[in-house]
Amino acid sequence: MSVRLEGVYAPVVTPFRADLTPDPERFIAHCRWLVEQNSGLAVFGTNSEANSLSVGERKALLEGLVENGVPAARMMPGTGCCSIPETVDLTCHAVDLGAPGVLMLPPFYYKGVSDDGLYRHYSEVIQQVGDARLRICLYHIPQVSGVPISLPLIERLIAAYPDTVVGIKDSSGNWDNTEAMLKAFPGFRIFPASESLFARSLPLGAAGCISATANVNPGAMHRLWSTWQAPEAAGLQAEVDRIRTTFARYPMMIAAMKATIAHYLGDPCWRIVRPPLDEFPEERTRALVDELARAGFDMPGLQREPA
């Protein structure tokens, strides 16, 4: 039986060592904590610094998760690259390891490309992977990729590959676009990029969300997703909105989340980001942590792995 892609997913932040190589031990520990908090693992998404990682680094980290007992069924790895061969390589690897779905950026270097060109790209990837187990969630983040995924393109891909192209992450930040997707494609697994949209998106059939702040607040977000029709949902929505809004005030969100994890673990190595990103400043970390404390924020169960 195939795994249903739904719920809260974290685009898992990637820890680095002082020499800027990926740190698999910290990565595994963080993924284990996220799974314990009922979060899925959208490893190698935007907040994972995925496009600062090589194909080999991504494959090694994913293999390390599986080899150390992190369930592949909870994973939706990012596999979209500019080149078809790299996308096929990462996608085949994820499918072979048992991931029930992959999150696939469009080829993002060339701008102004046509829907026909994007369709041929996705079609070629699907044909070359050639595996009936493949399930793709498209990744629409035009403000970063510069390559939008239009509704007509989605419709065309669903018509051609109904069992393969099964969903999309909408990171446009445009509610009108998200709403249009939800209304146009009932049953399609649509994941807004913010838990703050749950009150509007879940009644229209959204599958959940793939949100940066799931890295630090997964338990509360899962409770909201699983009880959104219950009387307490409004209160839970207000709580997660407050945390989301707090992080949104700090534009270096990847670095801010890493600094938050470093603080709650007492582990300064978690602050490291790979260039060209910059580490979150110490003085801003103190301000962020103080603001989170006033909001009653915590990261329950977070434990530093023994050396």
Side-chain angles (χ1 to χ4, degrees), residues 23 108 147 168 270:
D23 188 323
F108 49 83
V147 181
I168 190 166
W270 258 106

Side-chain angles (χ1 to χ4, degrees), residues 13-28 44 48-50 52-62 258 272 274:
V13 286
T14 304
F16 295 101
R17 301 186 181 100
D19 64 0
L20 299 181
T21 58
D23 188 323
E25 289 78 19
R26 285 181 172 86
F27 186 63
I28 292 164
F44 317 133
S48 313
E49 299 171 74
S52 296
L53 296 170
S54 71
V55 168
E57 287 172 331
R58 293 197 213 185
K59 291 168 74 172
L61 286 169
L62 197 61
K258 283 188 161 185
I272 300 170
R274 187 176 265 187

Side-chain angles (χ1 to χ4, degrees), residues 153-292:
L153 175 59
I154 296 169
E155 184 176 22
R156 187 175 174 187
L157 287 167
I158 293 172
Y161 303 104
D163 297 325
T164 301
V165 180
V166 298
I168 190 166
K169 178 185 180 185
D170 183 10
S171 292
S172 66
N174 180 346
W175 168 248
D176 289 342
N177 186 73
T178 305
E179 183 180 36
M181 287 182 179
L182 288 164
K183 290 180 176 179
F185 308 115
F188 201 53
R189 315 308 293 160
I190 297 172
F191 294 88
S194 173
E195 61 275 22
S196 293
L197 294 177
F198 271 167
R200 286 189 282 179
S201 65
L202 292 178
L204 294 178
C209 72
I210 304 174
S211 168
T213 41
N215 274 286
V216 293
N217 199 30
M221 290 165 60
H222 172 78
R223 286 192 295 276
L224 175 57
W225 173 76
S226 61
T227 62
W228 67 272
Q229 292 177 301
E232 63 268 26
L236 291 172
Q237 183 74 69
E239 290 176 13
V240 300
D241 286 352
R242 185 173 182 184
I243 301 305
R244 176 83 186 192
T245 300
T246 298
F247 277 95
R249 282 196 279 272
Y250 297 85
M252 301 163 59
M253 189 176 282
I254 296 171
M257 286 186 300
K258 283 188 161 185
T260 301
I261 295 168
H263 170 79
Y264 280 88
L265 275 175
D267 181 2
C269 289
W270 258 106
R271 298 179 60 85
I272 300 170
V273 292
R274 187 176 265 187
L277 299 184
D278 294 313
E279 287 188 17
F280 204 62
E282 290 280 1
E283 63 275 12
R284 302 196 75 189
T285 300
R286 289 192 293 273
L288 172 58
V289 167
D290 288 347
E291 192 171 353
L292 290 170

Side-chain angles (χ1 to χ4, degrees), residues 11-220:
V12 184
V13 286
T14 304
F16 295 101
R17 301 186 181 100
D19 64 0
L20 299 181
T21 58
D23 188 323
E25 289 78 19
R26 285 181 172 86
F27 186 63
I28 292 164
H30 189 56
C31 287
R32 282 176 173 158
W33 178 75
L34 288 167
V35 170
E36 289 167 1
Q37 298 294 314
N38 296 300
S39 176
L41 307 173
V43 291
F44 317 133
T46 298
N47 290 277
S48 313
E49 299 171 74
N51 289 298
S52 296
L53 296 170
S54 71
V55 168
E57 287 172 331
R58 293 197 213 185
K59 291 168 74 172
L61 286 169
L62 197 61
E63 289 167 9
L65 291 178
V66 174
E67 290 167 0
N68 284 275
V70 179
R74 304 300 298 275
M75 300 179 194
M76 193 193 303
T79 64
C81 302
C82 288
S83 79
I84 289 171
E86 288 176 311
T87 301
V88 169
D89 186 12
L90 287 170
T91 302
C92 287
H93 183 257
V95 172
D96 287 342
L97 286 177
V102 299
L103 185 62
M104 195 174 289
L105 278 168
F108 49 83
Y109 181 79
Y110 296 108
K111 307 304 187 284
V113 296
S114 67
D115 276 5
D116 282 346
L118 292 174
Y119 175 85
R120 287 188 294 110
H121 172 89
Y122 282 115
S123 180
E124 191 64 31
V125 168
I126 293 166
Q127 297 300 323
Q128 289 192 27
V129 172
D131 194 318
R133 298 173 295 174
L134 174 61
R135 301 290 182 270
I136 294 173
C137 275
L138 307 169
Y139 188 0
H140 177 64
I141 184 168
Q143 69 274 29
V144 176
S145 70
V147 181
I149 298 175
S150 69
L151 269 66
L153 175 59
I154 296 169
E155 184 176 22
R156 187 175 174 187
L157 287 167
I158 293 172
Y161 303 104
D163 297 325
T164 301
V165 180
V166 298
I168 190 166
K169 178 185 180 185
D170 183 10
S171 292
S172 66
N174 180 346
W175 168 248
D176 289 342
N177 186 73
T178 305
E179 183 180 36
M181 287 182 179
L182 288 164
K183 290 180 176 179
F185 308 115
F188 201 53
R189 315 308 293 160
I190 297 172
F191 294 88
S194 173
E195 61 275 22
S196 293
L197 294 177
F198 271 167
R200 286 189 282 179
S201 65
L202 292 178
L204 294 178
C209 72
I210 304 174
S211 168
T213 41
N215 274 286
V216 293
N217 199 30

